[in-house]
Amino acid sequence: TLEQALARIADAADLDALEKLRVELLGKQGSISGLLKTLGGMSPEERQTVGPQIQALREGATSALATRKAAMESAALEARLASESVDLTLPAPAAPRGTVHPVSQVLDELAEIFADMGFAVATGPEIEDDWHNFTALNIPESHPARAMHDTFYFPDKDAQDRSMLLRTHTSPVQIRTMLDVVKANPGGAPIRIIAPGRVYRSDSDATHTPMFHQVEGLVIDKGIHLGHLKWTLETFLKAFFERDDIVLRLRPSYFPFTEPSVEVDVGFAIVNGKRVLGGSGDAPGHGWMELLGSGMVNHHVIRAGGLDPDEWQGFAFGIGVDRIAMLKYGMDDLRAFFDGDARWLAHYGFSA
Ligand code: PHE
């Protein structure tokens, strides 16, 4: 009877017992399902009285089962919520945190210092073609400077000027910038940019990695001379190393894309066994350290950039970013830059 079924449903101890009961009453072989099957063998009169009774029994059992199940589930949820309460006053466990990498930090510092001097940031592709990386910079095929660059070429070297390579320096951005400016201003226009980025050479030891970072500087205008170059570098280096006593020495050198070319040395003193920048390198106990390459932009390069060298002059420089980062933060193995070891970073003051 319905009363018996309802009593058993009310008595079910848990969800498993309830499910067993559901199968016993309403499953394919269930007792109520069995009663429904007997309808087939009844006379129409009998069926008319018994049918609705069985139907009522089935509906009553079904809804009682559903109600009881919902009640059990919400009771289980209540119990779980009560037992799993979170104590928000407990201290959170310490999670390891990353930090800014010295190279990223230095790139930011460079952009900021040069922005104060009116330089915009320009970029170019790391996968470059032979023409932008070499030919346009006055380094023709068979020029010995090509061999010095330890270039990573992509296959198909026969393509000559169009063969692809990993740029060996940021100087191709000089060419790209001039060409862009000329496209927008056919007569030319003043340029003041730095171009920071990754460069690649097949070279690896404690002070060389196959990928490293350079920042290129390019100024093009009318009446630009070496004095502008020297002032710019001096102002930049004093700001970057946060010392007013930085002394530069300009030494004649050679780069195919500058004429004249100057290598810039900076004076240092030895303090506690470490080189500390500042003061003249000629003072007793001091020395000169080579810091960067630079010069007046070669007229062939100005022309390759689409400008008239009789009208436009300029200077350019290229600085190893990893190197000046090591110098500023007193680091001595370039390879540690690529280990991502948080303890090494923390040792040099880079921690979150
Ligand atoms: N491109 C040169 C290098 O990679 C550096 C440089 C840039 C020199 C600009 C002069 C002018 O060594």
Side-chain angles (χ1 to χ4, degrees):
T1 67
L2 183 56
E3 284 70 35
Q4 287 168 330
L6 294 182
R8 292 189 61 196
I9 292 168
D11 279 351
D14 53 29
L15 282 166
D16 282 344
L18 198 65
E19 173 61 12
K20 255 186 214 144
L21 194 54
R22 186 190 67 77
V23 172
E24 190 185 322
L25 297 172
L26 299 166
K28 273 211 179 81
Q29 316 291 329
S31 50
I32 295 177
S33 313
L35 285 174
L36 279 167
K37 282 179 201 151
T38 64
L39 287 174
M42 291 179 188
S43 66
E45 297 76 31
E46 230 179 335
R47 198 179 301 152
Q48 227 164 44
T49 50
V50 180
Q53 289 170 354
I54 300 175
Q55 197 55 30
L57 175 59
R58 199 175 75 108
E59 279 164 17
T62 304
S63 88
L65 280 165
T67 310
R68 183 89 172 98
K69 188 175 177 201
M72 280 181 177
E73 281 171 349
S74 80
L77 181 61
E78 289 298 333
R80 233 181 84 193
L81 287 177
S83 72
E84 289 181 4
S85 69
V86 173
D87 183 352
L88 294 175
T89 65
L90 287 174
R97 281 233 245 138
T99 175
V100 174
H101 193 275
V103 171
S104 305
Q105 163 98 27
V106 164
L107 289 173
D108 287 348
E109 291 170 7
L110 288 172
E112 204 171 305
I113 294 169
F114 278 107
D116 285 345
M117 292 192 268
F119 285 67
V121 171
T123 55
E126 289 170 33
I127 296 175
E128 188 52 281
D129 59 58
D130 196 282
W131 187 80
H132 287 91
N133 195 82
F134 290 126
T135 310
L137 289 164
N138 198 32
I139 314 176
E141 196 86 28
S142 84
H143 192 288
R146 289 201 183 204
M148 282 161 50
H149 276 224
D150 300 311
T151 312
F152 287 114
Y153 279 98
F154 288 86
D156 190 17
K157 285 196 200 177
D158 304 334
Q160 290 211 353
D161 270 1
R162 283 176 299 112
S163 72
M164 303 304 283
L165 45 83
L166 292 176
R167 67 177 181 191
T168 59
H169 51 178
T170 43
S171 300
V173 184
Q174 291 187 33
I175 303 295
R176 291 185 174 274
T177 304
M178 285 188 272
L179 289 173
D180 279 351
V181 165
V182 169
K183 206 186 259 175
N185 316 269
I191 296 172
R192 246 186 282 179
I193 57 111
I194 56 165
R198 294 176 175 163
V199 300
Y200 302 82
R201 292 182 200 178
S202 125
D203 205 353
S204 190
D205 59 39
T207 54
H208 297 88
T209 50
M211 185 281 285
F212 58 106
H213 300 81
Q214 285 187 336
V215 62
E216 192 83 5
L218 175 69
V219 167
I220 298 282
D221 210 326
K222 299 185 177 180
I224 295 293
H225 54 73
L226 267 183
H228 297 120
L229 168 63
K230 190 179 183 208
W231 179 86
T232 303
L233 291 175
E234 217 165 63
T235 305
F236 155 64
L237 292 169
K238 284 179 178 174
F240 180 75
F241 288 108
E242 297 169 333
R243 294 187 71 114
D244 260 339
D245 62 347
I246 295 286
V247 179
L248 300 187
R249 182 175 74 174
L250 272 54
R251 199 158 32 78
S253 183
Y254 173 76
F255 298 103
F257 30 90
T258 46
E259 182 59 37
S261 299
V262 283
E263 231 143 2
V264 177
D265 300 336
V266 61
F268 65 85
I270 305 246
V271 180
N272 297 327
K274 285 208 169 187
R275 292 172 167 200
V276 176
L277 298 191
S280 163
D282 291 330
H286 287 231
W288 294 108
M289 180 185 337
E290 184 186 319
L291 204 59
L292 59 98
S294 62
M296 301 305 294
V297 182
N298 188 297
H299 63 103
H300 291 301
V301 174
I302 303 247
R303 205 169 275 119
L307 293 166
D308 177 358
D310 288 331
E311 206 180 337
W312 300 98
Q313 303 81 41
F315 65 79
F317 56 86
I319 309 175
V321 173
D322 314 82
R323 246 197 84 158
I324 59 169
M326 289 170 78
L327 269 174
K328 178 163 179 173
Y329 296 106
M331 299 158 164
D332 39 32
D333 190 343
L334 181 59
R335 289 170 295 195
F337 275 49
F338 303 95
D339 291 342
D341 187 333
R343 292 165 305 177
W344 176 82
L345 288 167
H347 174 75
Y348 290 105
F350 288 83
S351 52

